[in-house]
Amino acid sequence: QVYKGLDIITNKVSPQEQRLCRHHMISFVDPLVSNYTVVDFRDKAVPLISYIFARDKIPIVVGGTNYYIESLLWKVLINTKEKPSSAPRLDSDRKVELEQLDSAELHRRLSQVDPEMAAKLHPHDKRKVARSLQVFEETGIPHSEILHQQQEEEGGGPLGGPLKYPHSCILWLHADQAALDARLEKRVDDMVAAGLLEELRDFHRRYNQQKVAENRQDYQHGIFQSIGFKEFHEFLVSEGNCSPETSALLLEKGIQALKQVTKRYARRQNKWVRNRFLKRPGPNVPPVYGLEVSDVQRWEEDVLKPALEIVESFIQGREPPAEPLRMEQDEENKRSHRVCELCARLIIGDREWAAHTRSKSHLHHLKKRRKLEASGRAGGTVGDSGDTETSDEDGSLPV
């Protein structure tokens, strides 16, 4: 929402609602800026929060993007070298340049300067590997060492430095999954009715058409990575160059893709709240209050009234009537390394390993290996020893 344009797709607050309450951090970055980062966001948002406090008002941070909210609440980001100006540049930054390298080369470079960080990151996660390399290049200090310094500060913990605003509270609006999915699908239909296609066509013509023609389109950075824009790529680039029937099919394909990716993103948002807020280790974690929004007909009773009571209690310095949510700490190791020899893949994290072992590709390879082993055993019991193809001495078969 920081970028100018795509107001419908990014669900920006309407001008009418903005007149009811002053909003910040909306529509102020040029869409062609590709290197606007969470650090830029934090550096602009923190002075605004101080300004709001100075006027004896209470800042309300609205999400969305929970990674950005986390960057405001805790000391978790790393400052590298100063930028030449306060405004983000139109050209790409060092991290983007590094991401152009081959994954193996990128990971090799990180292993040389920061083996601890290289061991934690998946070799194919180019964005994180590039960021760690960028931190080292621009500070001269390994990324892992800076993270250790943050964690060792008073109030720090395994996920980063101390809480910056100790009297915060988090209101988490959550819904039953089926109700949420249905609501998200309807929201996409409402976007189309509100003029989504006109917005996409106009934005594509002004900012993206030339990039596509020159084969330098990048859907990984800046506003172009926004959910909704890239899903309509085929429709936008082929419109006018194909039959109306094909164009209609591509449009419907884009709409269905937008619905699916929106629902996946909502699941990731909820997962982030659980893992980074509710399960966050250490004492410096704001209370998280759950507000059930499955039934919008009960908005007043289930959401607005309890939210006002919670916030008023914080303002007055008394215990809120509601109990904050609590979750059991699990023993999951998110940095465990396992190599699946069947699939020739490195898997990082207990949960990811469990998911991989249940995946179709892994089960396919497992079934294939079992067939090979069965045929090997059968071949060893039939015919002359000279005609039998035996396995290695340890009984294993190459796959």
Side-chain angles (χ1 to χ4, degrees), residues 144-351:
S144 57
E145 185 177 327
I146 297 176
L147 293 178
H148 287 314
Q149 291 171 2
Q150 283 185 349
Q151 294 162 3
E152 289 166 3
E153 290 183 36
E154 185 178 355
L159 296 182
L163 188 67
K164 292 190 286 188
Y165 304 102
H167 301 295
S168 308
C169 76
I170 298 172
L171 303 177
W172 179 28
L173 279 63
H174 58 88
D176 173 77
Q177 195 63 59
L180 179 59
D181 286 347
R183 195 174 301 162
L184 292 173
E185 293 210 2
K186 181 180 182 302
R187 189 173 80 178
V188 172
D189 294 334
D190 291 344
M191 286 178 180
V192 175
L196 174 63
L197 297 186
E198 290 73 21
E199 177 181 272
L200 289 171
R201 289 187 182 109
D202 178 63
F203 192 86
H204 178 67
R205 176 181 55 79
R206 287 191 291 139
Y207 297 108
N208 203 46
Q209 200 166 40
Q210 191 63 32
K211 285 174 172 281
V212 172
E214 296 172 359
N215 196 29
R216 56 185 182 90
Q217 173 56 63
D218 177 10
Y219 285 118
Q220 302 301 318
H221 300 92
I223 195 172
F224 299 101
Q225 66 182 317
S226 299
I227 287 177
F229 186 63
K230 55 185 175 294
E231 280 70 29
F232 289 90
H233 174 83
E234 287 185 86
F235 168 74
L236 292 169
V237 299
S238 64
E239 194 174 26
N241 300 316
C242 62
S243 67
E245 294 78 14
T246 300
S247 188
L249 287 172
L250 291 175
L251 172 60
E252 182 59 26
K253 180 182 176 182
I255 291 172
Q256 293 306 316
L258 177 56
K259 289 180 177 180
Q260 290 301 318
V261 75
T262 302
K263 289 187 284 188
R264 283 200 299 270
Y265 183 64
R267 284 168 169 78
R268 288 202 302 273
Q269 288 177 312
N270 287 333
K271 183 179 177 182
W272 186 283
V273 172
R274 292 188 181 97
N275 290 337
R276 305 289 292 195
F277 295 164
L278 287 173
K279 294 182 181 179
R280 196 178 190 92
N284 291 312
V285 182
V288 179
Y289 296 91
L291 299 170
E292 173 65 50
V293 295
S294 297
D295 185 357
V296 292
Q297 303 299 321
R298 291 184 52 82
W299 176 265
E300 298 278 338
E301 307 98 300
D302 294 347
V303 184
L304 182 59
K305 186 172 181 287
L308 289 173
E309 289 175 348
I310 291 166
V311 173
E312 285 172 358
S313 299
F314 267 80
I315 293 171
Q316 296 166 7
R318 55 183 173 85
E319 283 293 315
E323 282 289 320
L325 297 174
R326 286 182 172 81
M327 291 190 75
E328 293 290 328
Q329 295 292 330
D330 58 27
E331 299 301 320
E332 177 194 356
N333 183 354
K334 296 180 181 179
R335 295 299 185 187
S336 63
H337 284 57
R338 296 182 180 90
V339 175
C340 178
E341 295 180 357
L342 273 177
C343 307
R345 286 186 59 191
L346 168 65
I347 310 296
I348 297 180
D350 291 350
R351 185 175 299 179

